[in-house]
Amino acid sequence: MLEIVHNPAKDVLNVIKIGGKLIENKELLDSFLTDFVQLKGPKILVHGGGNKATEVAGKLGFKTRMIDGRRITDKDSMEVITMVYAGLLNKSIVAKLQGHKQNAIGLCGADANVLISRKREVKDIDYGLVGDVVQVNTEFIKSILKQEIVPVFSAISSTDDGVLLNTNGDSVASEIAIAMSNIYITQLFYCSEKKGVLKNIHDDDSVIAELNSDKYQQLKASKVLTDGMLPKLHNCFEAINRGVSTVYLGDAELLKKGAKHTKIVN
Amino acid sequence: MLEIVHNPAKDVLNVIKIGGKLIENKELLDSFLTDFVQLKGPKILVHGGGNKATEVAGKLGFKTRMIDGRRITDKDSMEVITMVYAGLLNKSIVAKLQGHKQNAIGLCGADANVLISRKREVKDIDYGLVGDVVQVNTEFIKSILKQEIVPVFSAISSTDDGVLLNTNGDSVASEIAIAMSNIYITQLFYCSEKKGVLKNIHDDDSVIAELNSDKYQQLKASKVLTDGMLPKLHNCFEAINRGVSTVYLGDAELLKKGAKHTKIVN
């Protein structure tokens, strides 16, 4: 297990985001959840949807429209996303956690108004029913955590008028972690395909162990960091600047003792 | 609005079950929800799935197997039910309630272990992943109600090993109402196609206003009640005998002031 920050004034809260292959591959997901249940203290899980929504949409005869690699979420797509993310994937994860005797509750943004978002403004492209989180109901989340129940979030938020919106899973995780840092010392974990930030893009083991803002600027200036990594790191440092204590980047094994990862600090 | 029982010792809790056409028809559902949000005090909504699951299953290429009018829930069917009931329908209802400024939270049985069930024993026919509720987490439901949030249940329960099971919606509602009657005076409302129990099956307006156990036995003996109504009434009187204060049977307009209905009392 990773090092846990201790502070007498506030408890530590771990917010863990999973997505991509980790959601699609049953063995990877089961292995991850086994590690997750062993993580002590208050914790929150956020999951994306992987390719399951596209697969189901295809079978239902809905075309998934993409522009520059981004999904256009029309009404039919949003129905499929609600079915797959908030239904199938979310409740399967909750049920698996209950099977591990880890009490959990599945939530989308509309539940208890937990993630209020604003529909993204239409500029050049109308991405449709897509939103950005503007408010997190921290009191409700705290009430769940106090009952030793793990909130499991699908990446769906809601306007304050009750319109469900497709929302970036990484942002859902960081907005929750940022908002909860008023109450807890929050640590944010992104589990994806890579073991962390790489010194050499061609060497999956060249993981940079720790990155602070100064080192990040240096590596950016010296072109060591690839373009693909920059938006993700920008998000990570935004989380750090807005109150999150530490961000960890790693793969499906991130929660395992001794797993390689990148630790991002102030 | 219907008469509300008052008691200084306990608050009144209303548990309302909707299903069938009321779920399938947008106008009926919107009209019902408008009435529902006006109902004062703690309340719980339970919904079935109507024909949407069969429709989605068909489009996904899964055959829905029925024996004597009852669905056989295999693994594929259970995935579709989880998508449609716990995802699409449940979250759409929650979002609509939020749109009415009625705070709500969508739950299936696995969430916070709120509805623990046992898989139905295989006798002549194996109905598959079908369960009967054996335990209701009343403490968790109470904690939600105390925050003035309406729990919205899809008709899915979970074994204590985290296996999701398809569950009869009427039974989910009655088991919740029965369990909650330890804490509240509970009233149970079944909204379905008929205005209530009919004196004359060919006259939809021949609604019996009130039915107690004695009158029920008399009507049963004199063959006034049709076979189709008997299992439903058996359930109603079981709820009454196990602690529910009153059961109301009516149609989509049951919550409207002056709506015809049958009131079932001890």
PDB file of all heavy atoms in Angstrom, chain B residues 203-229:
ATOM      1  N   ASP B 203     -66.869  -3.011 -14.998  1.00  0.00           N
ATOM      2  CA  ASP B 203     -67.144  -1.586 -14.754  1.00  0.00           C
ATOM      3  C   ASP B 203     -65.957  -0.986 -13.981  1.00  0.00           C
ATOM      4  O   ASP B 203     -65.822  -1.171 -12.775  1.00  0.00           O
ATOM      5  CB  ASP B 203     -68.447  -1.427 -13.967  1.00  0.00           C
ATOM      6  CG  ASP B 203     -68.729   0.035 -13.640  1.00  0.00           C
ATOM      7  OD1 ASP B 203     -67.955   0.911 -14.085  1.00  0.00           O
ATOM      8  OD2 ASP B 203     -69.722   0.289 -12.936  1.00  0.00           O
ATOM      9  N   ASP B 204     -65.116  -0.241 -14.714  1.00  0.00           N
ATOM     10  CA  ASP B 204     -63.896   0.314 -14.120  1.00  0.00           C
ATOM     11  C   ASP B 204     -64.186   1.316 -12.997  1.00  0.00           C
ATOM     12  O   ASP B 204     -63.286   1.679 -12.240  1.00  0.00           O
ATOM     13  CB  ASP B 204     -63.039   0.997 -15.203  1.00  0.00           C
ATOM     14  CG  ASP B 204     -62.087   0.005 -15.865  1.00  0.00           C
ATOM     15  OD1 ASP B 204     -62.015  -1.156 -15.388  1.00  0.00           O
ATOM     16  OD2 ASP B 204     -61.426   0.378 -16.852  1.00  0.00           O
ATOM     17  N   ASP B 205     -65.428   1.791 -12.925  1.00  0.00           N
ATOM     18  CA  ASP B 205     -65.747   2.756 -11.876  1.00  0.00           C
ATOM     19  C   ASP B 205     -66.380   2.123 -10.638  1.00  0.00           C
ATOM     20  O   ASP B 205     -66.679   2.827  -9.675  1.00  0.00           O
ATOM     21  CB  ASP B 205     -66.662   3.854 -12.443  1.00  0.00           C
ATOM     22  CG  ASP B 205     -65.874   4.827 -13.311  1.00  0.00           C
ATOM     23  OD1 ASP B 205     -64.701   5.104 -12.960  1.00  0.00           O
ATOM     24  OD2 ASP B 205     -66.401   5.270 -14.343  1.00  0.00           O
ATOM     25  N   SER B 206     -66.555   0.806 -10.667  1.00  0.00           N
ATOM     26  CA  SER B 206     -67.202   0.137  -9.524  1.00  0.00           C
ATOM     27  C   SER B 206     -66.186  -0.193  -8.435  1.00  0.00           C
ATOM     28  O   SER B 206     -66.071  -1.323  -7.964  1.00  0.00           O
ATOM     29  CB  SER B 206     -67.896  -1.147 -10.007  1.00  0.00           C
ATOM     30  OG  SER B 206     -66.919  -2.087 -10.445  1.00  0.00           O
ATOM     31  N   VAL B 207     -65.433   0.852  -8.053  1.00  0.00           N
ATOM     32  CA  VAL B 207     -64.324   0.655  -7.115  1.00  0.00           C
ATOM     33  C   VAL B 207     -64.840   0.482  -5.687  1.00  0.00           C
ATOM     34  O   VAL B 207     -65.665   1.273  -5.217  1.00  0.00           O
ATOM     35  CB  VAL B 207     -63.370   1.874  -7.169  1.00  0.00           C
ATOM     36  CG1 VAL B 207     -62.239   1.726  -6.164  1.00  0.00           C
ATOM     37  CG2 VAL B 207     -62.811   2.037  -8.582  1.00  0.00           C
ATOM     38  N   ILE B 208     -64.369  -0.530  -5.010  1.00  0.00           N
ATOM     39  CA  ILE B 208     -64.694  -0.739  -3.589  1.00  0.00           C
ATOM     40  C   ILE B 208     -63.847   0.236  -2.773  1.00  0.00           C
ATOM     41  O   ILE B 208     -62.616   0.189  -2.845  1.00  0.00           O
ATOM     42  CB  ILE B 208     -64.403  -2.199  -3.174  1.00  0.00           C
ATOM     43  CG1 ILE B 208     -65.285  -3.163  -3.994  1.00  0.00           C
ATOM     44  CG2 ILE B 208     -64.614  -2.395  -1.679  1.00  0.00           C
ATOM     45  CD1 ILE B 208     -64.925  -4.620  -3.839  1.00  0.00           C
ATOM     46  N   ALA B 209     -64.473   1.132  -2.048  1.00  0.00           N
ATOM     47  CA  ALA B 209     -63.750   2.219  -1.387  1.00  0.00           C
ATOM     48  C   ALA B 209     -62.859   1.716  -0.247  1.00  0.00           C
ATOM     49  O   ALA B 209     -61.735   2.184  -0.075  1.00  0.00           O
ATOM     50  CB  ALA B 209     -64.732   3.264  -0.866  1.00  0.00           C
ATOM     51  N   GLU B 210     -63.376   0.776   0.531  1.00  0.00           N
ATOM     52  CA  GLU B 210     -62.587   0.306   1.674  1.00  0.00           C
ATOM     53  C   GLU B 210     -62.795  -1.196   1.857  1.00  0.00           C
ATOM     54  O   GLU B 210     -63.891  -1.719   1.650  1.00  0.00           O
ATOM     55  CB  GLU B 210     -62.989   1.068   2.944  1.00  0.00           C
ATOM     56  CG  GLU B 210     -62.025   0.818   4.097  1.00  0.00           C
ATOM     57  CD  GLU B 210     -62.199   1.796   5.256  1.00  0.00           C
ATOM     58  OE1 GLU B 210     -62.357   3.001   4.989  1.00  0.00           O
ATOM     59  OE2 GLU B 210     -62.169   1.334   6.409  1.00  0.00           O
ATOM     60  N   LEU B 211     -61.714  -1.836   2.219  1.00  0.00           N
ATOM     61  CA  LEU B 211     -61.750  -3.293   2.367  1.00  0.00           C
ATOM     62  C   LEU B 211     -60.978  -3.653   3.637  1.00  0.00           C
ATOM     63  O   LEU B 211     -59.819  -3.284   3.783  1.00  0.00           O
ATOM     64  CB  LEU B 211     -61.065  -3.905   1.132  1.00  0.00           C
ATOM     65  CG  LEU B 211     -61.436  -5.309   0.659  1.00  0.00           C
ATOM     66  CD1 LEU B 211     -62.929  -5.472   0.463  1.00  0.00           C
ATOM     67  CD2 LEU B 211     -60.695  -5.620  -0.642  1.00  0.00           C
ATOM     68  N   ASN B 212     -61.667  -4.355   4.559  1.00  0.00           N
ATOM     69  CA  ASN B 212     -60.918  -4.915   5.685  1.00  0.00           C
ATOM     70  C   ASN B 212     -60.909  -6.434   5.548  1.00  0.00           C
ATOM     71  O   ASN B 212     -61.492  -6.984   4.602  1.00  0.00           O
ATOM     72  CB  ASN B 212     -61.487  -4.438   7.027  1.00  0.00           C
ATOM     73  CG  ASN B 212     -62.916  -4.913   7.238  1.00  0.00           C
ATOM     74  OD1 ASN B 212     -63.375  -5.838   6.552  1.00  0.00           O
ATOM     75  ND2 ASN B 212     -63.618  -4.274   8.146  1.00  0.00           N
ATOM     76  N   SER B 213     -60.272  -7.094   6.460  1.00  0.00           N
ATOM     77  CA  SER B 213     -60.060  -8.526   6.350  1.00  0.00           C
ATOM     78  C   SER B 213     -61.388  -9.279   6.280  1.00  0.00           C
ATOM     79  O   SER B 213     -61.557 -10.179   5.448  1.00  0.00           O
ATOM     80  CB  SER B 213     -59.224  -8.982   7.540  1.00  0.00           C
ATOM     81  OG  SER B 213     -58.692 -10.233   7.292  1.00  0.00           O
ATOM     82  N   ASP B 214     -62.349  -8.879   7.125  1.00  0.00           N
ATOM     83  CA  ASP B 214     -63.651  -9.561   7.137  1.00  0.00           C
ATOM     84  C   ASP B 214     -64.379  -9.417   5.808  1.00  0.00           C
ATOM     85  O   ASP B 214     -64.864 -10.399   5.236  1.00  0.00           O
ATOM     86  CB  ASP B 214     -64.550  -8.986   8.259  1.00  0.00           C
ATOM     87  CG  ASP B 214     -64.058  -9.433   9.630  1.00  0.00           C
ATOM     88  OD1 ASP B 214     -63.200 -10.345   9.683  1.00  0.00           O
ATOM     89  OD2 ASP B 214     -64.515  -8.850  10.638  1.00  0.00           O
ATOM     90  N   LYS B 215     -64.419  -8.168   5.328  1.00  0.00           N
ATOM     91  CA  LYS B 215     -65.122  -7.911   4.067  1.00  0.00           C
ATOM     92  C   LYS B 215     -64.431  -8.652   2.910  1.00  0.00           C
ATOM     93  O   LYS B 215     -65.096  -9.163   1.997  1.00  0.00           O
ATOM     94  CB  LYS B 215     -65.131  -6.401   3.811  1.00  0.00           C
ATOM     95  CG  LYS B 215     -66.116  -5.962   2.741  1.00  0.00           C
ATOM     96  CD  LYS B 215     -66.319  -4.464   2.747  1.00  0.00           C
ATOM     97  CE  LYS B 215     -67.033  -3.974   1.507  1.00  0.00           C
ATOM     98  NZ  LYS B 215     -67.042  -2.516   1.395  1.00  0.00           N
ATOM     99  N   TYR B 216     -63.098  -8.701   2.984  1.00  0.00           N
ATOM    100  CA  TYR B 216     -62.304  -9.420   1.978  1.00  0.00           C
ATOM    101  C   TYR B 216     -62.724 -10.892   1.933  1.00  0.00           C
ATOM    102  O   TYR B 216     -62.951 -11.460   0.862  1.00  0.00           O
ATOM    103  CB  TYR B 216     -60.824  -9.245   2.304  1.00  0.00           C
ATOM    104  CG  TYR B 216     -59.843 -10.096   1.534  1.00  0.00           C
ATOM    105  CD1 TYR B 216     -59.842 -10.133   0.140  1.00  0.00           C
ATOM    106  CD2 TYR B 216     -58.895 -10.863   2.214  1.00  0.00           C
ATOM    107  CE1 TYR B 216     -58.916 -10.907  -0.552  1.00  0.00           C
ATOM    108  CE2 TYR B 216     -57.966 -11.628   1.533  1.00  0.00           C
ATOM    109  CZ  TYR B 216     -57.981 -11.655   0.158  1.00  0.00           C
ATOM    110  OH  TYR B 216     -57.072 -12.418  -0.527  1.00  0.00           O
ATOM    111  N   GLN B 217     -62.807 -11.510   3.112  1.00  0.00           N
ATOM    112  CA  GLN B 217     -63.197 -12.930   3.181  1.00  0.00           C
ATOM    113  C   GLN B 217     -64.611 -13.136   2.631  1.00  0.00           C
ATOM    114  O   GLN B 217     -64.862 -14.098   1.891  1.00  0.00           O
ATOM    115  CB  GLN B 217     -63.102 -13.438   4.625  1.00  0.00           C
ATOM    116  CG  GLN B 217     -61.687 -13.458   5.223  1.00  0.00           C
ATOM    117  CD  GLN B 217     -60.672 -14.257   4.411  1.00  0.00           C
ATOM    118  OE1 GLN B 217     -61.038 -15.165   3.646  1.00  0.00           O
ATOM    119  NE2 GLN B 217     -59.393 -13.926   4.539  1.00  0.00           N
ATOM    120  N   GLN B 218     -65.530 -12.214   2.979  1.00  0.00           N
ATOM    121  CA  GLN B 218     -66.911 -12.297   2.470  1.00  0.00           C
ATOM    122  C   GLN B 218     -66.941 -12.241   0.943  1.00  0.00           C
ATOM    123  O   GLN B 218     -67.570 -13.074   0.285  1.00  0.00           O
ATOM    124  CB  GLN B 218     -67.746 -11.117   2.975  1.00  0.00           C
ATOM    125  CG  GLN B 218     -68.265 -11.224   4.395  1.00  0.00           C
ATOM    126  CD  GLN B 218     -68.860  -9.890   4.854  1.00  0.00           C
ATOM    127  OE1 GLN B 218     -69.323  -9.104   4.022  1.00  0.00           O
ATOM    128  NE2 GLN B 218     -68.805  -9.636   6.149  1.00  0.00           N
ATOM    129  N   LEU B 219     -66.228 -11.235   0.382  1.00  0.00           N
ATOM    130  CA  LEU B 219     -66.232 -11.042  -1.081  1.00  0.00           C
ATOM    131  C   LEU B 219     -65.585 -12.220  -1.795  1.00  0.00           C
ATOM    132  O   LEU B 219     -65.988 -12.607  -2.894  1.00  0.00           O
ATOM    133  CB  LEU B 219     -65.513  -9.743  -1.458  1.00  0.00           C
ATOM    134  CG  LEU B 219     -66.206  -8.442  -1.050  1.00  0.00           C
ATOM    135  CD1 LEU B 219     -65.300  -7.248  -1.308  1.00  0.00           C
ATOM    136  CD2 LEU B 219     -67.523  -8.269  -1.815  1.00  0.00           C
ATOM    137  N   LYS B 220     -64.566 -12.793  -1.125  1.00  0.00           N
ATOM    138  CA  LYS B 220     -63.876 -13.953  -1.700  1.00  0.00           C
ATOM    139  C   LYS B 220     -64.847 -15.137  -1.735  1.00  0.00           C
ATOM    140  O   LYS B 220     -64.985 -15.807  -2.770  1.00  0.00           O
ATOM    141  CB  LYS B 220     -62.641 -14.298  -0.861  1.00  0.00           C
ATOM    142  CG  LYS B 220     -61.538 -14.961  -1.648  1.00  0.00           C
ATOM    143  CD  LYS B 220     -60.163 -14.876  -0.994  1.00  0.00           C
ATOM    144  CE  LYS B 220     -60.096 -15.652   0.304  1.00  0.00           C
ATOM    145  NZ  LYS B 220     -58.659 -15.820   0.732  1.00  0.00           N
ATOM    146  N   ALA B 221     -65.564 -15.343  -0.617  1.00  0.00           N
ATOM    147  CA  ALA B 221     -66.513 -16.460  -0.517  1.00  0.00           C
ATOM    148  C   ALA B 221     -67.645 -16.311  -1.536  1.00  0.00           C
ATOM    149  O   ALA B 221     -68.080 -17.299  -2.140  1.00  0.00           O
ATOM    150  CB  ALA B 221     -67.071 -16.535   0.909  1.00  0.00           C
ATOM    151  N   SER B 222     -68.086 -15.070  -1.740  1.00  0.00           N
ATOM    152  CA  SER B 222     -69.209 -14.864  -2.669  1.00  0.00           C
ATOM    153  C   SER B 222     -68.745 -14.690  -4.123  1.00  0.00           C
ATOM    154  O   SER B 222     -69.521 -14.291  -4.991  1.00  0.00           O
ATOM    155  CB  SER B 222     -70.044 -13.665  -2.222  1.00  0.00           C
ATOM    156  OG  SER B 222     -69.227 -12.502  -2.220  1.00  0.00           O
ATOM    157  N   LYS B 223     -67.465 -14.980  -4.376  1.00  0.00           N
ATOM    158  CA  LYS B 223     -66.887 -14.976  -5.735  1.00  0.00           C
ATOM    159  C   LYS B 223     -66.966 -13.621  -6.440  1.00  0.00           C
ATOM    160  O   LYS B 223     -66.962 -13.552  -7.670  1.00  0.00           O
ATOM    161  CB  LYS B 223     -67.566 -16.052  -6.634  1.00  0.00           C
ATOM    162  CG  LYS B 223     -67.677 -17.433  -6.018  1.00  0.00           C
ATOM    163  CD  LYS B 223     -66.401 -18.205  -6.204  1.00  0.00           C
ATOM    164  CE  LYS B 223     -66.557 -19.638  -5.646  1.00  0.00           C
ATOM    165  NZ  LYS B 223     -65.275 -20.296  -5.434  1.00  0.00           N
ATOM    166  N   VAL B 224     -67.070 -12.541  -5.665  1.00  0.00           N
ATOM    167  CA  VAL B 224     -67.093 -11.211  -6.276  1.00  0.00           C
ATOM    168  C   VAL B 224     -65.693 -10.852  -6.780  1.00  0.00           C
ATOM    169  O   VAL B 224     -65.537 -10.221  -7.820  1.00  0.00           O
ATOM    170  CB  VAL B 224     -67.609 -10.141  -5.274  1.00  0.00           C
ATOM    171  CG1 VAL B 224     -67.379  -8.736  -5.808  1.00  0.00           C
ATOM    172  CG2 VAL B 224     -69.081 -10.382  -4.973  1.00  0.00           C
ATOM    173  N   LEU B 225     -64.679 -11.275  -6.055  1.00  0.00           N
ATOM    174  CA  LEU B 225     -63.295 -10.964  -6.448  1.00  0.00           C
ATOM    175  C   LEU B 225     -62.801 -11.964  -7.481  1.00  0.00           C
ATOM    176  O   LEU B 225     -63.001 -13.170  -7.317  1.00  0.00           O
ATOM    177  CB  LEU B 225     -62.387 -10.980  -5.220  1.00  0.00           C
ATOM    178  CG  LEU B 225     -62.755  -9.953  -4.144  1.00  0.00           C
ATOM    179  CD1 LEU B 225     -61.911 -10.160  -2.904  1.00  0.00           C
ATOM    180  CD2 LEU B 225     -62.602  -8.539  -4.664  1.00  0.00           C
ATOM    181  N   THR B 226     -62.157 -11.435  -8.511  1.00  0.00           N
ATOM    182  CA  THR B 226     -61.662 -12.320  -9.575  1.00  0.00           C
ATOM    183  C   THR B 226     -60.331 -12.936  -9.177  1.00  0.00           C
ATOM    184  O   THR B 226     -59.599 -12.397  -8.330  1.00  0.00           O
ATOM    185  CB  THR B 226     -61.464 -11.520 -10.869  1.00  0.00           C
ATOM    186  OG1 THR B 226     -60.605 -10.429 -10.587  1.00  0.00           O
ATOM    187  CG2 THR B 226     -62.774 -11.012 -11.406  1.00  0.00           C
ATOM    188  N   ASP B 227     -60.005 -14.030  -9.812  1.00  0.00           N
ATOM    189  CA  ASP B 227     -58.770 -14.751  -9.497  1.00  0.00           C
ATOM    190  C   ASP B 227     -57.525 -13.859  -9.608  1.00  0.00           C
ATOM    191  O   ASP B 227     -56.619 -13.934  -8.793  1.00  0.00           O
ATOM    192  CB  ASP B 227     -58.601 -15.946 -10.442  1.00  0.00           C
ATOM    193  CG  ASP B 227     -59.590 -17.060 -10.097  1.00  0.00           C
ATOM    194  OD1 ASP B 227     -60.257 -16.931  -9.049  1.00  0.00           O
ATOM    195  OD2 ASP B 227     -59.698 -18.023 -10.880  1.00  0.00           O
ATOM    196  N   GLY B 228     -57.514 -13.006 -10.635  1.00  0.00           N
ATOM    197  CA  GLY B 228     -56.343 -12.154 -10.875  1.00  0.00           C
ATOM    198  C   GLY B 228     -56.062 -11.212  -9.720  1.00  0.00           C
ATOM    199  O   GLY B 228     -54.912 -10.837  -9.477  1.00  0.00           O
ATOM    200  N   MET B 229     -57.110 -10.826  -9.018  1.00  0.00           N
ATOM    201  CA  MET B 229     -56.963  -9.851  -7.935  1.00  0.00           C
ATOM    202  C   MET B 229     -56.498 -10.512  -6.636  1.00  0.00           C
ATOM    203  O   MET B 229     -55.939  -9.841  -5.750  1.00  0.00           O
ATOM    204  CB  MET B 229     -58.337  -9.184  -7.716  1.00  0.00           C
ATOM    205  CG  MET B 229     -58.303  -7.808  -7.085  1.00  0.00           C
ATOM    206  SD  MET B 229     -57.426  -6.617  -8.122  1.00  0.00           S
ATOM    207  CE  MET B 229     -56.781  -5.515  -6.857  1.00  0.00           C
TER     208      MET B 229
END
